[in-house]
Amino acid sequence: MKALIAALWLTLALPALAGIEVRQFPNPALESRYQNLIEQLRCLVCQNQSLADSNADLAEDLRSEVYAMLLAGKSDAEIVDFLVQRYGDFVLYKPPVKKTTALLWFGPFAALAAGGLLLWRIGRTRRPEAPTALTPAERERLQRLLKDEEKSS
Amino acid sequence: MLKYLLPLGLFVGLLILLGVGLTLNPREVPSPLIGKPAPQFNLPRLDDPQASFDSARFQGKVSLFNVWASWCVACRQEHAFLMQLARQGVTIYGLDYKDTREAGLQWIERLGNPYQAVAFDAAGKVAIDWGVYGVPETFVIDKQGVIRYKHIGPITPRDWEEKLGPLVAYLEKQS
């Protein structure tokens, strides 16, 4: 009975293995490079998944490409470059810093600085004025007014 | 006065920025291949495994290179219009992507053949060199064999009128 239940659960878990191929690596270093690469490359089909997560047909093909290139002794930079040449910077989760992406990289900091500057200036102009002492003449007038108040009430 | 207009201006600016963001289509990834020579390949032809389709074909005349597959629903939608373009004399080459030869041939037989020649890319490896990430996709290639435009998704008559048609006409005039 237990074996049957275990078998049933394993059968249900089969789809989980669908997208992740079993690959043989000559050494663990290569394997970790492979994992690292496919996690930092974006799938073009389901755009919120990395090549590592995606079950899309194309992701499978691109994983195979990455694997083949690793076995062929290509460097990580060469492999990433191979994909960028074909699909553009879109395949990178971390876009490179260049002219077209300057706003993307530095815009938020610029906005933060501008906001900080604005706050600082508003803070400076809106400081409440310190109360100044009354002149003797004003003091006298105040006394008179207060007396009037007392009489009328 | 300015004190009150400034926040309003900032708000309107933000609104425009977000509005533009909403109208962009994230599914359309711009191709880095525009302005570059067509990636070279040599594949068997769909209609004859012995004959080859060489990318040197793209030299000498303006052509469309249409990536399609018999299992692709949007391609079916596009096919009738491709037939119309072929009748108008537009040169169209095809790339049958990750398909079986049988299914590809059946498709041509049933729906008609708008292509001068179809390259058969069973493994989809050549398509990767072209940066294809879905079907259909269509490249506009000039007389020098340089990719000038990439259209993602089926070509509608409107796409042709607004973008591809004028571009093809312009490229035809170039030597």
Side-chain angles (χ1 to χ4, degrees), chain A residues 44-47 57-58 61-62 65 82 84-88 90, chain B residues 26-27 29-30 32-33 97-98 123 125 127-129 131-133:
Chain A
L44 280 290
V45 184
C46 4
Q47 303 183 342
D57 213 21
L58 180 71
D61 291 349
L62 291 177
E65 288 286 325
F82 171 91
V84 169
Q85 269 171 19
R86 283 156 181 74
Y87 295 103
F90 188 87
Chain B
R27 286 245 150 260
V29 180
L33 295 168
Y97 172 72
K98 295 191 91 167
K125 264 185 122 59
I128 288 177
D129 285 340
V132 170
Y133 63 94

